[in-house]
Amino acid sequence: MNPTHVNPNSITVGHVLHAFTVGGEERELLNIVSYGNKSQFRHVIIALTVAGDFASGLDPERCKVIELRKQPGNDFRLPFRIAAMLRDSEADVVH
């Protein structure tokens, strides 16, 4: 996720959501990613379940979308999976 034309000093923000589907919080996140400062920020969206149509409209070089496809119920491995995804994506801050 480090393309050559992205500022090497940019901040990578990790966003963790239940699902990246149609909703108020999701629309606001889409606006932040789409219209925010493109030279200073990159984004990683981790959807615990699924990423819907919103994900297809994002620039894959600036925003990585990850679906964990969590099943209903408790998953004691989930925090470790989220942490691993954030580490792999080199997130500087988590929202």
Side-chain angles (χ1 to χ4, degrees), residues 14-95:
H15 306 274
V16 180
L17 301 168
H18 181 267
F20 193 47
T21 55
V22 177
E25 177 184 15
E26 294 81 0
R27 173 137 337 256
E28 289 300 319
L29 180 55
L30 180 65
N31 288 336
I32 289 169
V33 172
S34 298
Y35 303 112
N37 188 323
K38 293 178 171 48
S39 66
Q40 288 187 333
F41 297 99
R42 291 179 292 163
H43 301 272
V44 177
I45 298 173
I46 298 176
L48 301 183
T49 55
V50 296
D53 293 336
F54 279 173
S56 64
L58 296 172
D59 178 1
E61 292 183 357
R62 290 197 55 256
C63 183
K64 182 177 182 179
V65 179
I66 302 168
E67 294 180 314
L68 294 183
R69 301 235 176 231
K70 178 192 170 303
Q71 299 301 312
N74 293 327
D75 180 355
F76 297 107
R77 296 170 298 165
L78 186 61
F80 300 103
R81 292 175 62 200
I82 294 169
M85 293 297 147
L86 291 169
R87 265 192 309 276
D88 291 346
S89 300
E90 299 177 352
D92 297 304
V93 67
V94 180
H95 170 243

